[in-house]
């Protein structure tokens, strides 16, 4: 007979061209055996502010992907993408409502994970680092502003091909990160689940004293929180290891 005892199961909907979040999520979990992560992909190849890009995040596609994850009896479902950061938190709140209504499973998104983190840690002023183009950054800044989050400074790498984000190196991220930390934000935000920001979180925090919130780590943190599981090692961002 199958055992009724099993690890917490986290289901994640992944952009098809993302090469970071799956290996990085398991790297962050390390040797933990109390949690497993299960993935399904939807077609996403390009990040821009136009209709063809926005259609990649259609709720019907998300619901179908969530339905597949539900067959694995997962405990929480996450859209592990940051599209809500420029489409708006209300967009993701509606998406989560539809997923939960369709599956009966609690759900979140990377954007809503950030919103919960901001509330939890009292984060109001951020330094924003993305691989995106300037217009996408500006849309994020505007959308965050509607949620009471002020961006004091930002950096962008002017990329739009989603696969390319996963090839950005630590060395390419570090100078802009240190510049952003110098603006003394409440936290430095690496916004993109195909960006290896968590790799340098501990170094940036130790060097600057500014907390780091990385999209992959924040999304995993929120999933663990919703599932009632232990949180993360502080090496991936010290705030995510704390329970206020």
């Amino acid at each position: 007979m199958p055992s009724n005892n099993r690890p917490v199961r986290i289901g994640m909907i992944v952009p098809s061209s993302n090469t970071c979040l799956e290996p990085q999520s398991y790297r962050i979990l390390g040797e933990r055996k109390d949690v497993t992560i299960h993935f399904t992909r939807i077609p996403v190849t390009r990040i821009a502010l136009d209709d063809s890009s926005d259609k990649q995040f259609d709720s019907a596609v998300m619901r179908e992907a969530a339905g597949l994850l539900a067959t694995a009896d997962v405990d929480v479902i996450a859209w592990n993408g940051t599209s809500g950061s420029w489409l708006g938190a209300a967009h993701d709140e509606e998406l989560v409502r539809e997923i939960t209504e369709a599956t009966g499973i609690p759900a979140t998104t990377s954007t809503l994970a950030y919103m919960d983190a901001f509330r939890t840690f009292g984060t109001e002023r951020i330094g924003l680092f993305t691989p995106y183009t300037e217009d996408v950054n500006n849309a994020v800044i505007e959308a965050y502003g509607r949620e009471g989050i002020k961006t004091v400074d930002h950096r962008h790498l002017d990329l739009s091909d989603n696969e390319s984000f996963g090839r950005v190196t630590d060395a390419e991220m570090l100078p802009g990160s240190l510049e952003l930390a110098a603006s003394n934000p409440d936290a430095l935000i690496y916004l993109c689940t195909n960006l290896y920001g968590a790799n340098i979180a501990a170094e940036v925090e130790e060097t600057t004293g500014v907390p780091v919130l990385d999209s992959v780590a924040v999304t995993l943190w929120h999933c663990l929180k919703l599932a009632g599981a232990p949180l993360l090692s502080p090496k991936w961002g010290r705030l995510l290891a704390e329970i206020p």
Side-chain angles (χ1 to χ4, degrees):
M1 292 290 292
S3 172
N4 288 326
N5 296 320
R6 63 165 177 80
V8 168
R9 294 176 183 167
I10 296 172
M12 291 184 175
I13 303 170
V14 181
S16 59
S17 52
N18 187 308
T19 59
C20 168
L21 75 85
E22 291 163 302
Q24 187 76 318
S25 294
Y26 270 112
R27 190 174 293 122
I28 291 170
L29 285 178
E31 298 301 315
R32 287 178 60 169
K33 293 181 170 53
D34 63 313
V35 181
T36 59
I37 313 176
H38 309 275
F39 305 94
T40 191
R41 290 178 175 248
I42 64 168
V44 177
T45 59
R46 176 174 164 269
I47 300 302
L49 299 183
D50 56 45
D51 288 343
S52 65
S53 177
D54 290 350
K55 286 178 181 177
Q56 298 173 115
F57 312 113
D58 183 76
S59 62
V61 176
M62 298 283 190
R63 288 196 306 273
E64 183 177 0
L68 293 174
L69 289 169
T71 66
D73 191 29
V74 295
D75 298 296
V76 61
I77 295 173
W79 157 231
N80 208 332
T82 54
S83 54
S85 297
W86 58 89
L87 297 176
H91 173 276
D92 277 17
E93 288 166 355
E94 174 62 18
L95 174 62
V96 161
R97 184 190 65 78
E98 291 184 23
I99 288 174
T100 299
E101 284 187 357
T103 65
I105 297 170
T108 188
T109 72
S110 297
T111 297
L112 297 183
Y114 265 124
M115 293 301 142
D116 186 64
F118 294 155
R119 288 189 296 268
T120 299
F121 306 123
T123 303
E124 297 177 348
R125 302 169 66 259
I126 66 168
L128 178 67
F129 188 105
T130 85
Y132 308 137
T133 52
E134 184 175 14
D135 59 341
V136 174
N137 263 34
N138 290 335
V140 171
I141 291 167
E142 182 180 350
Y144 273 16
R146 294 195 295 269
E147 303 300 323
I149 304 301
K150 177 179 175 57
T151 302
V152 297
D153 199 1
H154 69 105
R155 296 291 184 275
H156 50 88
L157 299 179
D158 284 321
L159 303 174
S160 58
D161 172 38
N162 194 64
E163 185 276 331
S164 71
F165 305 162
R167 292 185 274 115
V168 175
T169 66
D170 296 355
E172 290 171 318
M173 287 187 283
L174 193 56
S177 301
L178 298 179
E179 292 169 0
L180 288 173
S183 64
N184 197 34
D186 297 333
L188 171 61
I189 308 304
Y190 292 116
L191 186 69
C192 178
T193 63
N194 200 21
L195 190 69
Y196 283 93
N199 285 356
I200 59 174
E203 179 181 357
V204 171
E205 289 186 340
E206 183 177 356
T207 301
T208 68
V210 175
V212 170
L213 294 173
D214 163 78
S215 293
V216 176
V218 167
T219 307
L220 181 55
W221 167 84
H222 200 225
C223 290
L224 293 169
K225 187 177 178 185
L226 289 175
L231 302 180
L232 303 178
S233 164
K235 70 180 287 187
W236 307 108
R238 66 174 185 258
L239 295 178
L240 303 180
E242 299 173 0
I243 304 176

